[in-house]
């Protein structure tokens, strides 16, 4: 036991590094970077090792800006709403990630995303109007056409290579999303990000800043194409990268993989018919330039060899006694240690993802579901994502994909659960990017990428049901939207008259036309409860209550009557929330109900 007391300075540094790893550079606190993360304006011209780009300070301001947005339930598009914990969200992912912060902070085990690669032709939203107000920004990301679809010309812009801030725009788009995503990860969680050569270097530096370079796990190389294609002037590209970072690498645990028969046949053998079965070998002698100790060892046939060994003399003798040495060339080669297949509990992963799956396989999956592979260009194959899921998740974990695209992650989670009886849950977020009028999916009735992603999940579930697999098969659909409640406009109050107008306006807190179910889910989210929360609808003689039994909350959106109060007292929740307008300016009745609930230890809140 260490006899010294706690070093307060080291403890503070350790905790700060866990909370804000991006505030450290070369393992030292970068105070300007910390101030920038906290939303303060700083001068970044000083020479130091850091990633910098035009618009970085503004991107941090985007991160710091809170949202009043919410999620609207869409039971009609869902499958098996009530028991399901899988979630599909149609909406802009930056706002959606902000909405999810209270409900899913520190609860996601694994994130996989396949963001825009910034090739110069792909469209994406990037914060290029930092001078606009929050209201203007929300209007821009919420503009709809006559059919209720987002307006592409104002929202989605191709980031052309001719643009003077080509890389900067992409980094400004990615930074706030990655910060928010990190918040959602468990301490033992991890993120995988697919990327190609266009931005792999910038992304690695950005992830070092957001997650801390000490939490870098690996840069995986995925062979996405088996055949060489003439897509380059010099060398044909056949691979992409998958960068992997941990939330806290000290708590990260990778799962070992099961051995395939093909791998076993290729890697293990038994040339001397050892009764313990198949084995592979590794050398015991190390190179001359290694730091291992150098000494002489005697082999069973009397040969003596002086070398730098990876084991002690006593351990070498034990290997001989246990017949664990394999000496090639009829006993004249260098001794190797037998590693028996029967003693291994799985395969450690490596960085070269060859013979896993290809983009062609991803296209075939789309063709099998929709009858054509023209719906997406190079969709990720589910087998690749299942490989990552096997590495990074246990059977009951939550998986997030906020660039859901074709829906490969959702299908991978559903298929893997069907294979190993898992109960993994997915949260998939997809922007309703409008389709080109001449595209095949548009001609078949789809209007956005989100429509296709949603339909794919529905089709996969139908196929699983038809095959008799029904564990955790279903999902709840939600849509990002503006708050159901009026927002207090403090900045617009410049006189006593305007203050009175605001007060009168808030006598009814909800916006006209707000639906009870939408208001309920907004309050569920803003109280920090997950999107799979179970709701019990309870009808009294003259009112309706919404009961959350797991959280001991009750909500009401119509008049709070005597019968409803009696039911609340009977159910004994910890919190009761209703609209302030339910009392129609009858403060004495409101006070009376408050006292009754207070006497029963029930917290009473109004909106």
């Amino acid at each position: 036991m260490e006899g010294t007391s706690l070093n307060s300075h080291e403890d503070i540094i350790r905790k700060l590094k866990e909370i804000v790893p991006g505030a450290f550079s070369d393992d030292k606190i970068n105070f300007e970077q910390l101030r920038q993360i906290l939303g303060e304006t700083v001068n970044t011209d000083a020479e130091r090792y850091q990633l910098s780009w035009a618009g970085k300070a503004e991107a941090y301001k985007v991160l710091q800006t809170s949202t009043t947005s919410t999620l609207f339930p869409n039971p009609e598009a869902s499958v098996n709403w009530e028991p399901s914990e899988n979630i599909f969200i149609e909406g802009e992912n930056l706002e959606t990630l902000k909405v999810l912060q209270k409900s899913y902070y520190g609860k996601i085990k694994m994130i996989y995303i396949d963001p825009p690669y910034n090739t110069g032709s792909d469209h994406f939203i990037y914060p290029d109007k930092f001078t606009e107000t929050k209201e203007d920004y929300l209007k821009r990301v919420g503009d709809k056409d006559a059919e209720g679809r987002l307006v592409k010309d104002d929202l989605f812009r191709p980031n052309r290579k001719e643009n003077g801030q080509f890389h900067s725009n992409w980094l400004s788009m990615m930074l706030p999303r990655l910060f928010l995503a990190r918040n959602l990860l468990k301490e033992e969680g991890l993120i995988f990000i697919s990327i190609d050569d266009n931005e792999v270097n910038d992304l690695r530096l950005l992830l070092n800043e957001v997650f801390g370079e000490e939490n870098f796990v690996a840069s995986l190389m995925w062979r996405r194409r088996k055949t060489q294609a003439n897509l380059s002037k010099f060398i044909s590209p056949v691979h992409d990268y998958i960068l992997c970072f941990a939330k806290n690498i000290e708590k990260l645990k990778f799962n070992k993989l099961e051995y395939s028969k093909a791998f076993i046949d290729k890697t293990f053998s038994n040339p001397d018919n050892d009764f313990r079965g198949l084995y592979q070998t590794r050398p015991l002698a190390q190179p001359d330039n290694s730091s291992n100790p150098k000494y002489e060892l005697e082999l069973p046939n009397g040969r003596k060899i002086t070398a730098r060994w990876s084991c002690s003399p006593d351990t070498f003798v034990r290997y001989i006694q246990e017949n664990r040495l394999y000496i090639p060339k009829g006993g004249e080669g260098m001794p190797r240690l037998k590693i028996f297949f029967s003693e291994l509990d799985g395969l450690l992963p490596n960085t070269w993802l060859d013979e896993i799956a290809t983009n062609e396989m991803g296209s075939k999956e789309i063709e099998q579901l929709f009858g054509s592979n023209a719906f997406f260009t190079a969709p990720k194959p589910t087998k690749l994502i299942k490989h990552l899921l096997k590495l990074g998740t246990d059977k009951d974990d939550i998986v997030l994909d906020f660039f859901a695209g074709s829906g490969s992650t959702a299908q991978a989670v559903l298929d893997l659960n069907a294979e190993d009886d898992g109960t993994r849950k997915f949260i998939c977020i997809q922007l309703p990017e409008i389709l080109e009028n001449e595209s095949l999916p548009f001609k078949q009735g789809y209007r956005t990428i989100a429509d296709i992603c949603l339909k794919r999940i529905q089709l996969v579930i139908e196929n699983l049901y038809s095959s008799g697999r029904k564990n955790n098969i279903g999902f709840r659909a939600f849509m990002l939207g503006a708050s159901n409640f009026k927002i207090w406009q403090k900045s617009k109050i410049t006189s006593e008259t305007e203050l009175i107008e605001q007060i009168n306006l808030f006598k009814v807190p909800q916006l006209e036309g707000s639906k009870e179910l939408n208001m309920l889910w907004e309050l569920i989210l803003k109280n920090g409860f997950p999107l799979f929360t179970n709701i019990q609808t309870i009808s009294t003689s003259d009112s309706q209550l919404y009961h959350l039994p797991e959280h001991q909350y009750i909500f009401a959106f119509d008049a709070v009557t005597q019968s409803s109060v009696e039911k609340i007292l009977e159910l004994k929740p910890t919190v009761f929330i209703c609209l302030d307008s339910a009392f129609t300016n009858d403060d004495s009745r409101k006070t009376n109900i408050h006292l009754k609930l207070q006497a029963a230890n029930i917290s009473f809140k109004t909106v």
Side-chain angles (χ1 to χ4, degrees):
M1 183 178 72
E2 192 172 345
T4 59
S5 63
L6 175 69
N7 186 312
S8 299
H9 174 75
E10 291 181 358
D11 185 55
I12 291 171
I13 295 295
R14 177 184 59 79
K15 290 178 179 177
L16 183 61
K17 188 178 290 187
E18 289 178 359
I19 298 170
V20 198
F24 289 79
S25 178
D26 292 336
D27 210 33
K28 306 279 188 200
I29 298 179
N30 184 332
F31 288 99
E32 286 79 8
Q33 181 69 15
L34 177 59
R35 289 174 56 199
Q36 192 173 55
I37 291 171
L38 296 176
E40 298 182 23
T41 301
V42 298
N43 183 357
T44 59
D45 294 337
E47 292 183 0
R48 67 174 63 86
Y49 178 74
Q50 64 177 351
L51 175 63
S52 186
W53 67 87
K56 181 179 181 180
E58 288 82 0
Y60 271 110
K61 291 178 182 177
V62 171
L63 169 65
Q64 296 298 327
T65 304
S66 60
T67 184
T68 57
S69 298
T70 187
L71 300 177
F72 297 153
N74 187 3
E76 294 77 16
S78 307
V79 177
N80 292 338
W81 171 283
E82 199 54 52
S84 182
E85 297 184 17
N86 295 314
I87 306 296
F88 172 80
I89 302 170
E90 177 184 312
E92 195 277 321
N93 57 13
L94 179 59
E95 289 291 295
T96 303
L97 287 170
K98 290 181 179 181
V99 171
L100 295 178
Q101 291 296 298
K102 281 188 177 180
S103 298
Y104 288 92
Y105 191 98
K107 294 180 180 178
I108 307 295
K109 178 61 183 299
M110 179 183 136
I111 297 173
Y112 170 78
I113 57 172
D114 184 19
Y117 284 5
N118 206 23
T119 60
S121 60
D122 42 2
H123 292 71
F124 59 85
I125 295 177
Y126 49 90
D128 59 345
K129 292 186 177 180
F130 296 112
T131 58
E132 68 185 345
T133 65
K134 177 66 175 176
E135 290 77 10
D136 289 338
Y137 170 77
L138 290 176
K139 182 178 184 299
R140 183 163 64 89
V141 299
D143 278 346
K144 305 288 197 307
D145 60 18
E147 296 181 351
R149 308 297 178 183
L150 290 172
V151 180
K152 183 170 185 176
D153 290 341
D154 190 46
L155 184 62
F156 307 95
R157 295 181 178 86
N159 191 32
R160 303 295 186 192
K161 288 189 175 181
E162 301 80 41
N163 187 340
Q165 296 185 2
F166 176 67
H167 293 289
S168 295
N169 287 334
W170 188 85
L171 287 166
S172 291
M173 183 272 293
M174 291 294 293
L175 182 144
R177 289 163 174 82
L178 290 175
F179 256 94
L180 293 169
R182 182 184 178 276
N183 288 345
L184 299 177
L185 283 174
K186 290 182 172 183
E187 282 299 300
E188 64 271 25
L190 72 165
I191 185 171
F192 292 100
I193 306 179
S194 286
I195 200 71
D196 70 0
D197 285 305
N198 287 287
E199 293 292 356
V200 64
N201 297 318
D202 287 337
L203 179 60
R204 172 73 180 273
L205 292 172
L206 180 60
L207 287 166
N208 283 346
E209 180 167 314
V210 174
F211 283 79
E213 59 184 315
E214 70 277 7
N215 290 312
F216 170 72
V217 178
S219 176
L220 308 176
M221 287 178 288
W222 167 53
R223 180 159 185 162
R224 58 184 171 87
R225 180 184 294 112
K226 287 298 181 185
T227 58
Q228 291 190 193
N230 189 24
L231 299 178
S232 173
K233 283 180 65 176
F234 305 109
I235 299 175
S236 177
V238 296
H239 77 278
D240 279 348
Y241 302 92
I242 302 176
L243 298 184
C244 179
F245 273 73
K247 174 81 172 280
N248 183 341
I249 201 162
E250 292 183 0
K251 297 184 179 180
L252 177 66
K253 179 186 176 184
F254 263 120
N255 298 322
K256 291 186 178 182
L257 300 174
E258 294 182 3
Y259 294 93
S260 67
K261 186 177 184 306
F263 179 84
I264 295 171
D265 294 342
K266 181 179 179 180
T267 311
F268 295 86
S269 62
N270 190 1
D272 57 352
N273 294 317
D274 193 300
F275 72 94
R276 289 163 289 193
L278 296 172
Y279 62 85
Q280 57 181 191
T281 65
R282 65 173 176 82
L284 289 171
Q286 302 300 302
D288 285 336
N289 60 358
S290 76
S291 59
N292 292 53
K294 188 174 186 178
Y295 42 80
E296 183 182 77
L297 293 176
E298 184 175 346
L299 274 59
N301 61 5
R303 285 178 57 213
K304 295 181 179 180
I305 301 176
T306 299
R308 296 188 179 276
W309 300 98
S310 61
C311 64
S312 68
D314 290 342
T315 300
F316 190 81
V317 171
R318 178 167 58 81
Y319 288 156
I320 293 174
Q321 294 171 346
E322 296 175 354
N323 189 26
R324 284 186 171 267
L325 293 185
Y326 175 73
I327 306 174
K329 299 180 181 179
E332 295 302 315
M334 296 296 287
R336 300 177 66 88
L337 177 67
K338 294 180 179 180
I339 302 171
F340 292 96
F341 174 73
S342 59
E343 297 174 349
L344 298 175
D345 60 355
L347 176 67
L348 287 172
N350 62 58
T351 57
W352 177 229
L353 304 183
D354 191 17
E355 299 180 0
I356 298 288
T358 62
N359 275 334
E360 289 82 1
M361 293 175 68
S363 295
K364 287 180 180 178
E365 289 174 329
I366 294 295
E367 186 174 8
Q368 289 170 355
L369 290 169
F370 292 97
S372 171
N373 62 10
F375 277 54
F376 290 96
T377 301
K380 290 296 180 290
T382 57
K383 192 174 180 181
L384 170 68
I385 302 174
K386 281 197 288 185
H387 179 83
L388 303 178
L389 290 170
K390 290 175 182 177
L391 291 177
T393 68
D394 293 324
K395 290 185 178 183
D396 60 350
D397 286 326
I398 303 176
V399 180
L400 170 65
D401 182 351
F402 52 92
F403 286 97
S406 68
S408 296
T409 298
Q411 181 172 349
V413 170
L414 291 167
D415 286 351
L416 184 57
N417 282 343
E419 292 173 14
D420 65 6
D421 292 322
T423 56
R424 299 171 189 84
K425 281 76 68 175
F426 65 76
I427 301 175
C428 288
I429 305 168
Q430 177 53 41
L431 187 74
E433 180 179 353
I434 201 164
L435 298 167
E436 300 293 341
N437 290 0
E438 299 303 315
S439 67
L440 177 62
F442 186 90
K443 292 177 180 179
Q444 292 189 4
Y446 300 97
R447 291 296 174 262
T448 68
I449 298 294
D451 290 343
I452 305 174
C453 184
L454 181 68
K455 184 62 176 178
R456 179 182 187 173
I457 301 172
Q458 293 170 343
L459 291 172
V460 169
I461 291 172
E462 286 180 17
N463 291 341
L464 288 171
Y465 262 100
S466 64
S467 65
R469 293 170 172 169
K470 300 179 181 179
N471 58 328
N472 193 31
I473 299 181
F475 71 98
R476 295 184 175 190
F478 291 83
M479 296 180 67
L480 181 70
S483 174
N484 297 280
F485 302 101
K486 298 170 184 175
I487 307 301
W488 184 265
Q489 302 287 346
K490 182 180 178 181
S491 61
K492 295 184 179 181
I493 300 174
T494 59
S495 67
E496 182 180 345
T497 301
E498 290 176 347
L499 175 60
I500 294 172
E501 289 176 354
Q502 284 270 352
I503 292 173
N504 289 332
L505 184 66
F506 274 77
K507 287 181 179 179
V508 178
Q510 69 271 27
L511 293 168
E512 186 177 352
S514 294
K515 299 177 181 179
E516 282 194 9
L517 197 58
N518 291 344
M519 290 190 288
L520 173 63
W521 275 103
E522 178 167 358
L523 294 177
I524 286 173
L525 281 165
K526 290 180 177 177
N527 278 279
F529 303 137
L531 290 168
F532 54 81
T533 295
N534 176 38
I535 303 169
Q536 293 180 354
T537 303
I538 299 171
S539 297
T540 67
S541 60
D542 50 10
S543 64
Q544 184 163 272
L545 303 173
Y546 298 96
H547 184 210
L548 279 53
E550 296 97 332
H551 308 292
Q552 295 185 296
Y553 268 59
I554 291 180
F555 298 88
F557 299 98
D558 50 17
V560 181
T561 63
Q562 181 63 30
S563 64
S564 58
V565 172
E566 290 174 357
K567 192 65 177 179
I568 293 166
L569 292 171
E570 177 189 329
L571 293 170
K572 297 181 180 178
T574 57
V575 179
F576 169 62
I577 300 176
C578 68
L579 299 178
D580 196 59
S581 57
F583 300 98
T584 58
N585 297 323
D586 188 346
D587 290 339
S588 61
R589 188 164 65 90
K590 178 180 177 181
T591 301
N592 184 43
I593 291 173
H594 185 193
L595 292 173
K596 285 184 178 180
L597 296 176
Q598 188 178 49
N601 292 320
I602 300 172
S603 177
F604 175 47
K605 300 179 181 179
T606 59
V607 179

